[in-house]
Amino acid sequence: IRNQKKTNICKMSETAGGMLDFFVEEGDVAVRCAQIAELRDYVADPKFVKKVREISAEAKKAKSPQEIGDVTRKLMKDPRLTQCAMLGAGVKLSVDKEDLKKAARDGDIEKPSPMKADDLVAASKITTAIEAKQKGNEAFEKKNYARALAYWVRALKLNRIQKNDDEIASI
């Protein structure tokens, strides 16, 4: 069965001209995206992660040329997914903010999250809700709104966790 799956994947990616190779490889496609510098910020957006995983699942299931074509056309509408496919194939392709704005205006993608990977990493190092809120306020004062948002989201998560810990401790 394993060899049969591999054969289907090989046939599929040959048929699609290699566009789907990045999406049919073993493992989590979102993790592979996070390992490529040009794609790292996309992974901070949960909507993108969901979409890239959906494309991967569809690509792995596609067998007929029609199904392969449908998946390829779907990923070509989103400049981020196209960039994943091209970078995964070793072809440099850059996507700028204007490409993303146009895709959002055309309805091909949802508006991306303003938070970037660096913002989320910085926020993840904070261990208390109060500190995360303070850092968020400081970032906001410096007009670094994406970083502020990342800290505030972290503060809310930590607050929820700490409340649960308090409830458990009181039992």
Side-chain angles (χ1 to χ4, degrees):
I1 294 175
R2 189 173 210 183
N3 288 339
Q4 185 181 6
K5 281 185 181 178
K6 227 176 198 178
T7 304
N8 287 343
I9 290 170
C10 289
K11 284 181 186 173
M12 177 179 59
S13 60
E14 286 173 12
T15 306
M19 278 295 289
L20 301 178
D21 286 350
F22 186 76
F23 298 95
V24 297
E25 291 176 21
E26 292 296 321
D28 187 348
V29 68
V31 171
R32 284 196 300 283
C33 288
Q35 294 169 345
I36 299 173
E38 294 90 343
L39 305 177
R40 199 164 291 133
D41 282 339
Y42 300 153
V43 180
D45 184 351
K47 295 173 194 171
F48 171 78
V49 171
K50 181 180 178 187
K51 194 167 187 179
V52 79
R53 286 179 174 152
E54 286 172 0
I55 288 287
S56 179
E58 290 177 30
K60 288 176 181 178
K61 290 178 186 172
K63 291 186 176 76
S64 72
Q66 177 66 41
E67 292 170 328
I68 294 165
D70 290 346
V71 175
T72 303
R73 279 186 291 284
K74 192 173 186 178
L75 81 85
M76 293 297 288
K77 287 184 175 185
D78 185 333
R80 302 166 303 172
L81 296 174
T82 304
Q83 187 178 26
C84 290
M86 299 308 287
L87 289 171
V91 177
K92 192 96 169 151
L93 175 70
S94 62
V95 173
D96 61 27
K97 288 181 182 179
E98 289 306 312
D99 295 326
L100 296 175
K101 285 180 184 177
K102 182 182 181 314
R105 265 193 321 271
D106 293 347
D108 293 331
I109 65 171
E110 291 183 47
K111 186 175 180 182
S113 169
M115 294 184 291
K116 302 297 179 209
D118 292 344
D119 300 327
L120 295 173
V121 168
S124 72
K125 294 177 182 175
I126 305 300
T127 58
T128 68
I130 292 170
E131 184 184 3
K133 180 184 174 194
Q134 289 169 341
K135 291 272 193 183
N137 291 344
E138 290 168 14
F140 186 83
E141 287 174 13
K142 295 177 184 174
K143 299 187 187 305
N144 190 344
Y145 303 119
R147 176 75 46 115
L149 181 59
Y151 280 125
W152 291 331
V153 167
R154 177 74 175 156
L156 290 170
K157 286 181 182 176
L158 289 170
N159 188 45
R160 193 175 316 124
I161 291 168
Q162 289 164 355
K163 278 187 177 179
N164 286 341
D165 287 347
D166 292 343
E167 289 173 13
I168 291 169
S170 67
I171 293 178

